[in-house]
Amino acid sequence: MSETIEGGCNCGAIRYTIAGPPLAVAACHCTRCRRQSGSAFSVNLVVKPEDMTVAGELAVFEDTETSSGQSVLREFCGMCGSPIRSRLNANPQIVAVKAGTADAPDGFAPSIHVWTQSKLAWVEIPAGLPQFARNAG
């Protein structure tokens, strides 16, 4: 039996369902994700796009400031501004859903850290967790 993940934005205009567990839970330390999350890093549920259904209309910011030269579509609620997911044109086989938007986020501790070359000096990554200076690809 597969687990279903549900979540949404602060105002309720956006709701989503993810069929099954995430492929990974990744903490991204890149400057762009830090700015979007408003925090030291962004914790993301890495899922297949076809496993996610969204109710409501997502607003999109096309982030072109990427190292790959391919944009990242940062999708959010146009009503309350909650970031929901990022779609990477460099890797369309996955989407990165903001873990904090899940209705029950407790079970989603990061299992991998990426873009650690940009991590803030005071952030400590637990020993034994995989980490990549740039990305996991």
Side-chain angles (χ1 to χ4, degrees):
M1 183 168 156
S2 70
E3 134 189 5
T4 298
I5 302 165
E6 294 183 343
C9 67
N10 276 325
C11 73
I14 305 295
R15 293 293 302 160
Y16 66 78
T17 302
I18 299 169
L23 302 170
V25 181
C28 184
H29 296 265
C30 80
T31 303
R32 306 301 282 186
C33 281
R34 285 200 328 257
R35 286 185 176 159
Q36 185 200 26
S37 70
S39 189
F41 49 86
S42 177
V43 179
N44 301 287
L45 308 177
V46 179
V47 303
K48 296 177 189 175
E50 61 269 21
D51 289 345
M52 184 178 192
T53 57
V54 177
E57 189 171 337
L58 291 166
V60 180
F61 167 66
E62 184 173 7
D63 189 346
T64 58
E65 298 293 320
T66 66
S67 63
S68 71
Q70 296 190 49
S71 62
V72 172
L73 302 175
R74 299 189 183 276
E75 299 179 325
F76 58 96
C77 175
M79 299 290 290
C80 67
S82 297
I84 302 295
R85 71 179 177 188
S86 296
R87 291 186 292 136
L88 296 74
N89 285 328
N91 192 353
Q93 299 84 11
I94 61 168
V95 294
V97 181
K98 303 305 175 187
T101 65
D103 291 345
D106 274 347
F108 302 120
S111 58
I112 185 172
H113 288 256
V114 297
W115 290 100
T116 57
Q117 72 181 17
S118 304
K119 116 179 154 44
L120 300 177
W122 53 265
V123 171
E124 294 183 25
I125 298 173
L129 285 184
Q131 54 182 297
F132 297 87
R134 289 186 61 108
N135 64 22

